[in-house]
């Protein structure tokens, strides 16, 4: 399936892009993160991150659909 | 009203926007860019936001505050982009008939914004390094 | 700085006066003239103050806040004279490195001002009556 | 002794003056208030009031000195 990824903060720096479209067999965000972590060398464990799917926070094991926009959310530091 | 802004925040205008003839109290929080963090000297910083999710999270936090506390209005504006020391990074304002609810709601909103709204701070230090804060 | 003022309070200027490179948080309280109190419609009001004692009490309250909380600066200005609905009656601002101390000190100051500073409110009601509030 | 009195809020309205100088044998503020209450018809009990002497809050039984400025402070309602 095709997924749209957006990257922010240290993940963006590490990936070297602010977004990308990937082809993957990963059926949920947990497996997708493991795959992308291996490819980009992300330092953070999934336990440190939250995941957003199509603009809303979601569970890591929610089934992904083709065309979903997925964002891994590092601990926030606004304010 | 929750808003991200890449321009200077005008606190006076935002405060006037909370006016209400039944309002006896207004509490405002301003987050300013400090010149230090964790013992390191900070020269300037950048805020990056995941705009779509920040907007829905911000609006939800304000709705929660209106539900939890007896307030009349609430507003939050957060800067994105490059900021200098002393700049206003985030503004939260709450109006209410009485001050207790205004204080509590303002505190609730800024605490929730800092924990749930996807905005990240990249601090540039005096030693030339910089780093995203992921507390 | 504690001050009684018979002229409009300029919150923006007062806020700038609290600026400090080490300040990451500023909390401000504004007391606005409400159009009702205890179920009666209020048209306008007058504040009367015992100036000498108000000044020493106000300064003492700010000094207490600086002692009790990790703040950088604190300021309070209270109007005297005739005010209309919506007017800014009292402004309290506190700057601090972190927001917890700023919220707590701001709340402490306005609570203390309301209980100890000799200022009295004369409300003028829609029915033509008026009355000094001695809660 | 001679005392200088300042009146505020409902006490001022009742006394009809914002200040006055009185001659009195009252040796403390409690007795002085009782005397002035009888003269002006103040509604409030001393228990509802605080007293300030020469610009500072003071105890009701503090001995007064000639020329003291005394202010009876109704419950405040600023803010």
């Amino acid at each position: 399936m095709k997924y749209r990824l957006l990257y922010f903060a240290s993940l963006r720096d590490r990936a070297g892009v602010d977004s990308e479209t990937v082809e993957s067999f990963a059926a949920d965000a947990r497996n997708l993160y493991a795959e992308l972590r291996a490819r980009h060398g992300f330092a953070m464990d999934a336990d440190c991150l939250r995941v957003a799917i199509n603009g809303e926070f979601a569970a890591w094991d929610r089934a992904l659909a083709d065309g979903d926009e997925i964002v891994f959310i590092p601990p926030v530091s606004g304010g | 009203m929750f808003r991200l802004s890449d321009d200077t925040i005008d606190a006076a205008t935002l405060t006037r926007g909370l006016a209400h003839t039944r309002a006896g109290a207004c509490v405002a929080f301003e987050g300013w860019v400090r010149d230090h963090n964790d013992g390191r000297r900070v020269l300037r910083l950048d805020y990056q936001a995941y705009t779509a999710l920040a907007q829905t999270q911000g609006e939800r936090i304000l709705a929660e505050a209106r539900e939890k506390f007896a307030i009349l209005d609430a507003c939050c504006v957060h800067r994105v982009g490059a900021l200098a020391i002393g700049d206003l990074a985030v503004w939260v304002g709450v109006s209410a008939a009485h001050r207790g609810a205004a204080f509590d709601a303002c505190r609730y909103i800024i605490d929730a914004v800092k924990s749930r709204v996807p905005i990240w701070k990249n601090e540039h230090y005096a030693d030339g390094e910089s780093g995203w804060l992921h507390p």
Side-chain angles (χ1 to χ4, degrees), chain A, chain B:
Chain A
M1 291 196 285
K2 265 192 184 160
Y3 303 123
R4 180 80 183 153
L5 277 297
L6 307 182
Y7 296 117
F8 293 96
S10 57
L11 297 183
R12 178 181 294 185
D13 289 358
R14 192 76 194 181
V17 293
D18 56 8
S19 64
E20 64 180 345
T21 302
V22 300
E23 287 270 1
S24 168
F25 292 108
D28 63 19
R30 188 174 301 281
N31 286 300
L32 183 62
Y33 181 70
E35 205 177 295
L36 293 168
R37 186 183 186 185
R39 183 190 308 169
H40 293 302
F42 294 142
M44 272 183 285
D45 260 17
D47 294 351
C48 301
L49 304 170
R50 278 180 285 186
V51 65
I53 302 174
N54 301 326
E56 283 288 351
F57 284 117
W60 279 96
D61 56 3
R62 189 174 116 183
L64 296 177
D66 191 52
D68 276 353
E69 180 185 273
I70 294 128
V71 187
F72 304 112
I73 310 281
V76 304
S77 51
Chain B
M1 190 261 285
F2 181 88
R3 194 157 52 80
L4 296 176
S5 170
D6 49 19
D7 206 354
T8 308
I9 298 172
D10 180 352
T13 301
L14 292 171
T15 302
R16 276 194 298 276
L18 300 174
H20 199 296
T21 53
R22 284 189 290 130
C26 175
V27 173
F29 171 82
E30 301 196 354
W32 295 344
V33 179
R34 276 184 296 150
D35 71 350
H36 68 285
N37 191 25
D38 245 336
R40 297 180 78 173
R41 226 183 112 220
V42 177
L43 299 182
R44 58 189 181 83
L45 56 78
D46 302 298
Y47 280 110
Q48 200 178 81
Y50 175 16
T51 308
L53 185 58
Q55 186 64 36
T56 54
Q57 285 297 307
E59 284 168 12
R60 193 163 303 162
I61 289 165
L62 295 180
E64 289 166 9
R66 277 189 293 264
E67 232 172 79
K68 285 176 197 289
F69 306 101
I71 63 178
L72 293 164
D73 206 351
C75 172
C76 176
V77 180
H78 201 298
R79 280 294 305 276
V80 288
L83 278 81
I85 304 304
D87 278 358
L88 178 48
V90 56
W91 187 89
V92 178
V94 175
S95 60
H98 301 286
R99 70 188 182 283
F103 272 105
D104 292 346
C106 188
R107 184 74 197 256
Y108 176 84
I109 293 166
I110 186 62
D111 286 355
V113 165
K114 279 173 170 274
S115 77
R116 284 159 50 189
V117 175
I119 300 176
W120 298 273
K121 189 191 302 200
N122 193 9
E123 290 184 338
H124 299 268
Y125 303 108
D127 57 16
E129 285 189 21
S130 75
W132 290 101
L133 276 92
H134 295 316

